[in-house]
Amino acid sequence: MVDHEVDTSAGTAVVDAGAVDRRGALGVASDGVLARVRAGAGELTGALRRVAEHVLSDPEAAARATIVELAERSGTSPATITRFCRAMGFDGYADLRLGIAAETGRARSAGWTVDIGREIQPGDPLSRVLDQIMAADTRAMHDTAALLDLSEVERAAVAIAGASRVNIFGASGSALVGEEMQFSLHRIGVAAWAWNDVHEGLASAALLRQGDVALGISHTGQTRETIEMLAEAGSRGATTVALTGFPRSPLAELADIVLLTASQATTFRPDALSARHPQLVVLDLLYIAVAQRTHDRAHAAFRRTAQAVDGHKAAKGAGA
């Protein structure tokens, strides 16, 4: 591995020379420019990190700026801007500008250009808050679609469809998302368990074997308990899947299959909270993909489970 120090005059950043190749292998779509920058920003430091933060703070202004203007506004140098473009997988600044311009243009035409970077104020009317939440979630969904490698979803679906046991690991908010996935898989006859206690999760992971599947959920990919449980499952031969927002995180590095999500933070909803809806969308896609591959079994199981709870529905016309 070769490390390169860049732009020592404006602050030092160290970038793994192999990062560009590995990021490209994740299949980031060309139209997910800002999603690519968000996903990669966490890996950068110093001058390169400042460029990423400036681009994300005002993408439209970045798309209009020359390389010299962007360097001045971010407190770096044109050489750093060029290195930043390459770190993000672009040949040069012209490609980055064109990509950002195209993406922000689509956002305007789609009608979700509310200033989601603006802080929600105590006196904001609920209509304004609703618009901001909708815009942020829409942006996150589009970014997730751009980041997501469908071949990885396919691999995960095939593994789950053929598994005798599926373990799902997560903590805090990720645990809630995991429980939703467990519920969905149970409805179509897939033996799945969701664990948020590290002791119980490790004990269950130790009983997994080849052919089983373990899914670890963590937006940052740095939750120690989730990493430990997924690592234990992998050591027993289970196929490991990571659902995370960071492709170079510890959780992603140890997983056989990586499913990426994006998030768009707003006031009172930091990244970890704003990631819930994109996570649920990806897991819904994975669930449907599993159901497609087990169609007859899934259809029969879904019908039986629906009939089992049907008697607990309130009768039509019944009083309160």
Side-chain angles (χ1 to χ4, degrees):
M1 183 187 298
V2 179
D3 287 339
H4 297 292
E5 284 198 359
V6 298
D7 195 23
T8 54
S9 64
T12 300
V14 178
V15 181
D16 177 358
V20 175
D21 291 339
R22 286 195 292 272
R23 186 181 294 109
L26 289 172
V28 178
S30 60
D31 62 347
V33 178
L34 297 177
R36 188 187 311 189
V37 174
R38 286 190 190 93
E43 303 168 18
L44 305 176
T45 58
L48 295 185
R49 181 66 174 265
R50 292 203 300 276
V51 176
E53 291 173 348
H54 185 79
V55 168
L56 293 174
S57 68
D58 194 346
E60 292 189 0
R64 294 191 299 268
T66 66
I67 189 170
V68 174
E69 289 170 340
L70 184 59
E72 290 176 349
R73 293 171 186 174
S74 58
T76 61
S77 70
T80 299
I81 303 300
T82 299
R83 293 186 182 100
F84 170 78
C85 293
R86 291 172 181 165
M88 293 297 105
F90 294 96
D91 292 333
Y93 184 56
D95 289 336
L96 176 67
R97 284 184 67 186
L98 288 172
I100 295 174
E103 189 166 338
T104 54
R106 283 192 298 272
R108 282 196 304 272
S109 64
W112 38 281
T113 55
V114 172
D115 181 11
I116 50 182
R118 172 187 174 277
E119 290 290 316
I120 296 175
Q121 302 300 323
D124 283 348
L126 287 181
S127 60
R128 177 65 179 76
V129 175
L130 176 60
D131 286 345
Q132 189 169 29
I133 291 173
M134 292 293 292
D137 282 354
T138 301
R139 167 70 75 180
M141 298 295 186
H142 279 264
D143 286 352
T144 294
L147 282 173
L148 191 61
D149 186 342
L150 293 180
S151 66
E152 292 285 270
V153 178
E154 176 83 25
R155 288 179 60 205
V158 170
I160 292 174
S164 58
R165 181 184 180 97
V166 177
N167 270 7
I168 304 169
F169 306 123
S172 189
S174 295
L176 299 177
V177 174
E179 289 172 2
E180 287 281 340
M181 185 60 170
Q182 179 205 19
F183 172 77
S184 297
L185 291 176
H186 261 305
R187 289 297 301 268
I188 59 172
V190 176
W193 288 263
W195 305 99
N196 57 33
D197 178 87
V198 66
H199 294 275
E200 294 178 350
L202 286 171
S204 182
L207 298 177
L208 296 179
R209 53 192 175 186
Q210 190 169 359
D212 294 332
V213 174
L215 168 63
I217 304 172
S218 170
H219 172 65
T220 64
Q222 296 181 5
T223 303
R224 185 169 59 188
E225 293 83 356
T226 303
I227 293 169
E228 290 177 357
M229 291 185 285
L230 197 68
E232 176 66 27
S235 73
R236 303 295 175 174
T239 298
T240 53
V241 183
L243 180 66
T244 181
F246 294 87
R248 298 287 306 284
S249 63
L251 187 71
E253 292 285 358
L254 69 84
D256 299 312
I257 300 169
V258 179
L259 307 180
L260 290 176
T261 60
S263 63
Q264 182 64 61
T266 59
T267 309
F268 306 121
R269 290 204 313 166
D271 281 344
L273 292 179
S274 62
R276 286 180 301 180
H277 291 158
Q279 287 173 338
L280 288 170
V281 167
V282 172
L283 291 180
D284 266 349
L285 176 63
L286 178 57
Y287 155 69
I288 294 297
V290 173
Q292 287 178 312
R293 284 150 187 78
T294 59
H295 181 270
D296 292 344
R297 184 184 76 188
H299 185 73
F302 197 86
R303 185 177 61 252
R304 290 199 301 272
T305 55
Q307 290 173 344
V309 300
D310 190 61
H312 289 269
K313 294 180 181 178
K316 291 183 178 180

